[in-house]
Amino acid sequence: MSKKGKKTQRNLSDEEQLLLFQQKMLAEEEMIKKKERLLSQFLKDKLAKEEHNSALNLNKINTQWRMVLREVKTRALRKDIEILSQTFERVVDCKDSVIKSLAKDLSEAEEQHAQALRGHLHSVDQLLALQRCRLSLLEESYNMELETLTKEFETERKTIIDQHEKEIRYLQDVFMAMEQNYIDSEYEGKLEFQSMWDDLKNKNLEEKHFLRLQLENVVEDLWRKFQDALKNYTDATEDRKVAFETLRVKDEKSSKEIEVQMKKIQRLQDSISIIKGKIMVHSRESEEQNQYIRDDKELILVQLRKLKAQRTQAREISQENLVKLTLESNAAIKALRKIVDKGEKILKLAEICRKFETEEEKVLPFYSPTLTPEEREEIEEIQPEDLTEELAKVIADYKGMENFWKRYNKVKLEQLSLQHRHAELLEINGKLREMLKQYLDGISVSDEVLSQLNPLFIVNHRSNLTQPLSTPATQPGDKKPPTTYNIIEAAHVISHIL
């Protein structure tokens, strides 16, 4: 017993140790979890503080950056305002000059309009007088032609009436002859029909008599056969006759029962017919209602189809309009882009050209017209007085480009003058080159030079140049021959003189 008690004490101590170990482990796990919770809470608080500080710093940076951007933007806007003010002043000056020119053109146009109106009214009066004369002549010719036509109509009418009467008489004679012929042919046809009818009647009577005799003989034979068959039938059907009598009695009884049942059936049929009538009435009413509903349904379907067709048509039209609008908008955008590019190019070229302008051009960019009043009157006489609406619109649209065309024409004139001057200088340069060549050929001595005409090669006070013959009178259409220049060295002339 003592050994068993010791073993139990040892087992209890092991269990207690296990429990103590488990309690320690649980306590350690709880401590670790508490530490983790505290660490996570600390990190969350730190993260929130960092986010708050970063947001504050970001706001400060944004405010500072906005201040810098505002300063830059204000400087740019001030520069833009200065540029815009200059351009606005320039545009206002241009507009003022355009308004003055337009007012002057308007007064000139009003004078031209009044003059054209007077000329138009004068020409209208002349046309009215000519039209009245023409109408009177036409009325006289119409009356003459009417009289001739009435006379011709009366003569033709008389001839037609006479011819018509002759044709009516001829047709009456022909009708009488044809009627007489018809009566004769009808009488002959009746006689032939009567004779044929009598012959056929006699033949039919003879055939009828012959057939009657044959049928009487046949009928007698058939009657004899019928009597023999009747005797045989009565002998053979006596038993059946008795049975028939009994069956007839039964049939009378059953017929009475059938009559009773028929009366019941008739009552039922009457009730059925009444019910059927009610059903028919109700069915007709329901059919009428259904027909009304069907008609309404068909009308609604027709309206629905129409609305669908209208919707599809409107959708197609809107689709087409949208496509057209997109195409036109794309084309307009492209055209506007081209115009904008062209305008930017022109502005760039204007800025480049402005650098090369002289002080006079900067002060007076548009030259004043140099035409005298007489020349202006001549130009107005040459210009057409009557302008169409389209041409007037085009002229009005291009009025604002007058100053541009002035500057363009000025540059174009300067270009043409420079080209003309360049051509003159080229011509002078060519002449000088020819003179220099002749001089160099005169100085140098070679076979090629001696074979050609040389003004310095003189023998017995004569050069080898051919004397020019008497030049014929040039006609105005002929070209002038090229002029040649004979050059003699000055030292040679002086040696001969001294």
Side-chain angles (χ1 to χ4, degrees):
M1 292 292 289
S2 62
K3 288 180 180 179
K4 289 180 179 178
K6 287 179 182 178
K7 287 180 180 179
T8 54
Q9 286 178 0
R10 286 177 183 174
N11 290 327
L12 288 169
S13 62
D14 293 334
E15 289 176 357
E16 287 176 356
Q17 286 178 1
L18 288 169
L19 288 170
L20 289 170
F21 182 72
Q22 287 178 357
Q23 287 178 0
K24 286 180 181 179
M25 290 293 291
L26 290 170
E28 288 177 356
E29 287 178 357
E30 286 179 358
M31 288 294 291
I32 290 164
K33 286 181 181 178
K34 284 181 181 179
K35 288 179 181 179
E36 287 178 353
R37 286 174 189 169
L38 290 170
L39 185 62
S40 63
Q41 187 68 32
F42 175 73
L43 291 171
K44 285 180 182 178
D45 294 335
K46 191 173 182 180
L47 181 63
K49 287 179 181 178
E50 290 292 332
E51 287 178 353
H52 181 66
N53 293 325
S54 63
L56 287 172
N57 293 323
L58 184 63
N59 288 325
K60 289 178 181 179
I61 290 164
N62 287 327
T63 52
Q64 292 293 327
W65 183 244
R66 283 172 187 163
M67 291 291 289
V68 172
L69 289 174
R70 282 186 191 128
E71 289 177 358
V72 173
K73 191 68 176 176
T74 50
R75 290 172 189 169
L77 289 171
R78 282 172 185 169
K79 289 181 181 178
D80 292 337
I81 288 164
E82 290 176 357
I83 293 164
L84 288 171
S85 64
Q86 291 175 2
T87 54
F88 178 72
E89 289 174 357
R90 192 182 299 161
V91 169
V92 167
D93 294 333
C94 293
K95 295 287 183 183
D96 291 333
S97 63
V98 169
I99 289 163
K100 289 176 183 177
S101 64
L102 287 173
K104 193 184 290 182
D105 294 336
L106 183 63
S107 62
E108 291 175 357
E110 285 177 353
E111 291 176 359
Q112 289 179 1
H113 176 69
Q115 189 176 358
L117 183 63
R118 287 195 294 274
H120 176 67
L121 293 172
H122 182 66
S123 60
V124 166
D125 294 332
Q126 289 178 354
L127 288 171
L128 286 171
L130 289 170
Q131 186 67 18
R132 289 193 186 97
C133 294
R134 185 169 170 273
L135 286 172
S136 62
L137 292 171
L138 289 171
E139 189 174 0
E140 289 176 359
S141 64
Y142 171 74
N143 291 324
M144 294 291 287
E145 289 177 358
L146 184 63
E147 288 177 358
T148 55
L149 288 170
T150 50
K151 288 178 183 178
E152 290 175 358
F153 175 74
E154 288 295 332
T155 55
E156 288 180 0
R157 185 169 176 275
K158 286 178 182 179
T159 55
I160 289 165
I161 288 166
D162 296 335
Q163 190 176 359
H164 179 65
E165 289 177 355
K166 289 178 183 178
E167 288 177 355
I168 286 169
R169 288 169 192 163
Y170 175 72
L171 289 171
Q172 285 177 357
D173 295 335
V174 171
F175 178 73
M176 291 293 289
M178 288 179 71
E179 190 174 0
Q180 189 66 34
N181 291 326
Y182 176 73
I183 290 165
D184 295 337
S185 63
E186 187 180 4
Y187 180 69
E188 290 175 358
K190 282 182 179 179
L191 290 174
E192 288 177 0
F193 174 75
Q194 191 68 31
S195 63
M196 289 173 72
W197 187 70
D198 292 334
D199 294 335
L200 290 169
K201 187 176 181 182
N202 293 324
K203 285 180 182 180
N204 287 326
L205 288 171
E206 290 175 357
E207 289 176 357
K208 187 177 180 183
H209 185 66
F210 180 72
L211 290 170
R212 186 180 289 174
L213 291 172
Q214 287 181 354
L215 288 170
E216 284 178 357
N217 294 323
V218 172
V219 167
E220 286 178 357
D221 293 333
L222 289 171
W223 180 253
R224 287 172 190 168
K225 289 178 182 179
F226 181 71
Q227 290 295 328
D228 293 334
L230 182 62
K231 286 179 182 181
N232 292 325
Y233 179 73
T234 53
D235 293 335
T237 57
E238 284 182 357
D239 297 331
R240 292 179 181 178
K241 192 174 181 181
V242 173
F244 177 72
E245 290 294 333
T246 54
L247 290 170
R248 190 176 68 182
V249 173
K250 288 180 182 179
D251 184 55
E252 288 178 355
K253 289 180 182 178
S254 62
S255 63
K256 288 179 181 177
E257 290 178 358
I258 287 164
E259 285 179 359
V260 173
Q261 294 296 327
M262 286 295 289
K263 287 179 182 177
K264 290 180 181 179
I265 290 165
Q266 189 67 34
R267 289 173 188 171
L268 292 170
Q269 285 179 352
D270 293 335
S271 62
I272 287 164
S273 62
I274 291 163
I275 292 164
K276 282 182 178 179
K278 290 180 180 178
I279 289 166
M280 289 291 288
V281 171
H282 289 300
S283 65
R284 285 174 186 173
E285 290 177 355
S286 64
E287 284 179 358
E288 288 177 356
Q289 290 178 359
N290 290 326
Q291 189 65 32
Y292 290 141
I293 292 165
R294 287 193 195 97
D295 295 334
D296 293 334
K297 184 180 177 182
E298 288 177 356
L299 290 171
I300 290 164
L301 286 172
V302 170
Q303 291 178 357
L304 182 63
R305 286 170 188 165
K306 288 181 180 178
L307 290 171
K308 283 182 179 179
Q310 290 176 0
R311 187 187 66 184
T312 54
Q313 190 175 4
R315 189 177 291 170
E316 289 175 356
I317 292 165
S318 62
Q319 190 75 20
E320 290 177 358
N321 291 328
L322 183 62
V323 171
K324 287 181 182 177
L325 183 62
T326 52
L327 292 173
E328 289 176 357
S329 64
N330 289 327
I333 288 164
K334 289 179 181 178
L336 290 171
R337 282 176 183 170
K338 288 180 181 178
I339 291 164
V340 169
D341 295 334
K342 195 173 182 181
E344 289 177 355
K345 189 176 180 181
I346 289 165
L347 289 172
K348 287 177 182 178
L349 290 171
E351 290 293 331
I352 292 165
C353 293
R354 195 173 293 165
K355 295 177 182 178
F356 300 102
E357 286 180 354
T358 60
E359 293 180 357
E360 184 180 356
E361 289 176 348
K362 288 179 180 179
V363 175
L364 297 171
F366 307 113
Y367 67 92
S368 59
T370 58
L371 297 174
T372 60
E374 295 177 354
E375 291 175 349
R376 288 183 183 176
E377 289 177 359
E378 289 178 359
I379 290 166
E380 289 176 358
E381 288 176 357
I382 291 165
Q383 287 179 353
E385 294 181 356
D386 298 328
L387 295 174
T388 59
E389 292 182 358
E390 294 179 357
L391 188 58
K393 287 180 181 178
V394 171
I395 290 166
D397 292 334
Y398 282 96
K399 281 285 185 183
M401 300 290 289
E402 189 174 357
N403 292 323
F404 171 76
W405 289 118
K406 283 181 180 180
R407 296 190 72 180
Y408 178 79
N409 291 329
K410 184 180 178 183
V411 174
K412 193 71 176 176
L413 289 170
E414 289 178 355
Q415 184 184 0
L416 292 171
S417 65
L418 290 170
Q419 287 177 359
H420 185 67
R421 181 63 179 163
H422 183 261
E424 289 179 351
L425 291 171
L426 286 173
E427 188 176 357
I428 292 165
N429 191 12
K431 291 177 181 179
L432 291 172
R433 283 178 183 276
E434 287 179 359
M435 292 167 68
L436 182 61
K437 186 179 179 184
Q438 288 179 5
Y439 177 72
L440 292 172
D441 291 338
I443 292 170
S444 61
V445 178
S446 62
D447 295 333
E448 186 179 357
V449 173
L450 292 173
S451 64
Q452 294 178 0
L453 300 175
N454 194 346
L456 299 177
F457 187 67
I458 297 167
V459 179
N460 295 325
H461 302 285
R462 291 182 184 178
S463 65
N464 61 353
L465 292 173
T466 58
Q467 295 295 327
L469 299 172
S470 59
T471 56
T474 58
Q475 294 180 359
D478 297 334
K479 293 182 179 178
K480 291 182 179 180
T483 56
T484 57
Y485 299 95
N486 295 325
I487 299 166
I488 300 170
E489 194 175 357
H492 180 70
V493 174
I494 291 165
S495 65
H496 282 284
I497 291 167
L498 296 174

